[in-house]
Amino acid sequence: MQTILGAGGAIGKELAKVLPQYTDQVRLVARNPKAVVGNEELVSADLLDLEATKAAVQGSEVVYLCVGLTYNIKVWQNSWPRIMSNTIEACADAKAKLVFFDNIYMYHPSEMSNITEDSKKDPQSEKGKVRLGILNQLWAAHKEGRIQATVARSADFYGPNAGSVSVLEEAVLKPLQKGKAANWFGSLKNPHSFTYTIDAAKGTAILGNSEIAWGEEWHLPTAKNPLTGKEYIETLAALVGAKPKTQVAGKGILRILGWFNPIMKEFVEMIYQYDRPYYFNSDKFESTFKYTAVSYQEGLKSLI
């Protein structure tokens, strides 16, 4: 049995399509789980409840923690440590291995130009501090021998099922399709890596089913040579037959927008990811597992 916690999210849905390559027993866990392939076991659970989490994980060999929470720092501070603690306890009870689907928020802003697994973990944002805290919870449990764990880390992602959590789709593609200006942040001149959701899901499944993956952090396969903000907008505009109209928001504008839009308010502290080059390096994964990520040209075409 392989179990996905947070099966209703972008990565959970794609992961559910991939896991049948490894097992015929897949369990999808969410508040309101829905079948993806059609033959999964569906379990409704609130991961803030320890007993519910234990029941959801029971009988699993591998568990994937792919939960996505509301983009709000108070929610993250209140919920993430409990979810991680409950998941660790549940996996320890079930003797299940744990794959944690992670992001890059714990890295120091100075590391953006070449983000590797060895980059310095010293977050300057409140959300980054939460992410580092739960990562430390995970590794403490692993080092104590309570569970076997691995980390599958992704850059910002785009692609099938990404929807509202994808900057490329929400801020760029959708406005262009409506004849409006695409939105970007920080600077249009900086390259910015994005991980394709199908690559993220395939990579996560590979890690959950590889003996050499445990006890390490892995950057999921992500195409090299990322485009700049300007190039993403021009490429998507050409694909939908629109003019590449653009509006760019810096930190000051984001603060003003935050008066009216909660997401923009939350995004202010993350603007450092867009005001400098952002290269996500996945060489370790790609060389170890002989995997080549989908190119940006192919990935962007698939969005249309």
Side-chain angles (χ1 to χ4, degrees), residues 25-46:
Q25 297 181 59
V26 176
R27 180 183 296 157
L28 307 183
V29 180
R31 287 182 181 273
N32 298 291
K34 296 180 180 178
V36 176
V37 176
N39 61 348
E40 304 97 338
E41 179 184 344
L42 305 182
V43 174
S44 176
D46 178 358

Side-chain angles (χ1 to χ4, degrees), residues 112-165:
M112 294 298 103
S113 62
N114 183 33
I115 314 167
T116 72
E117 292 86 348
D118 296 324
S119 291
K120 179 170 64 174
K121 295 182 175 68
D122 181 18
Q124 303 300 295
S125 69
E126 294 305 310
K127 294 183 190 68
K129 292 172 184 175
V130 172
R131 299 299 299 203
L132 180 58
I134 61 175
L135 184 65
N136 288 339
Q137 283 180 263
L138 178 77
W139 286 129
H142 177 87
K143 289 174 183 176
E144 291 166 5
R146 297 171 60 204
I147 59 169
Q148 273 193 286
T150 192
V151 172
R153 184 167 292 132
S154 171
D156 294 340
F157 49 79
Y158 77 108
N161 284 308
S164 62
V165 298

Side-chain angles (χ1 to χ4, degrees), residues 21-22 36 42 47 59 68 88 95 105 156 205 210 216 225 234:
Q21 297 176 26
Y22 301 93
V36 176
L42 305 182
L47 300 182
I88 290 169
K95 295 181 173 54
Y105 285 12
D156 294 340
S210 172
E216 296 192 36
N225 304 313
E234 290 176 345

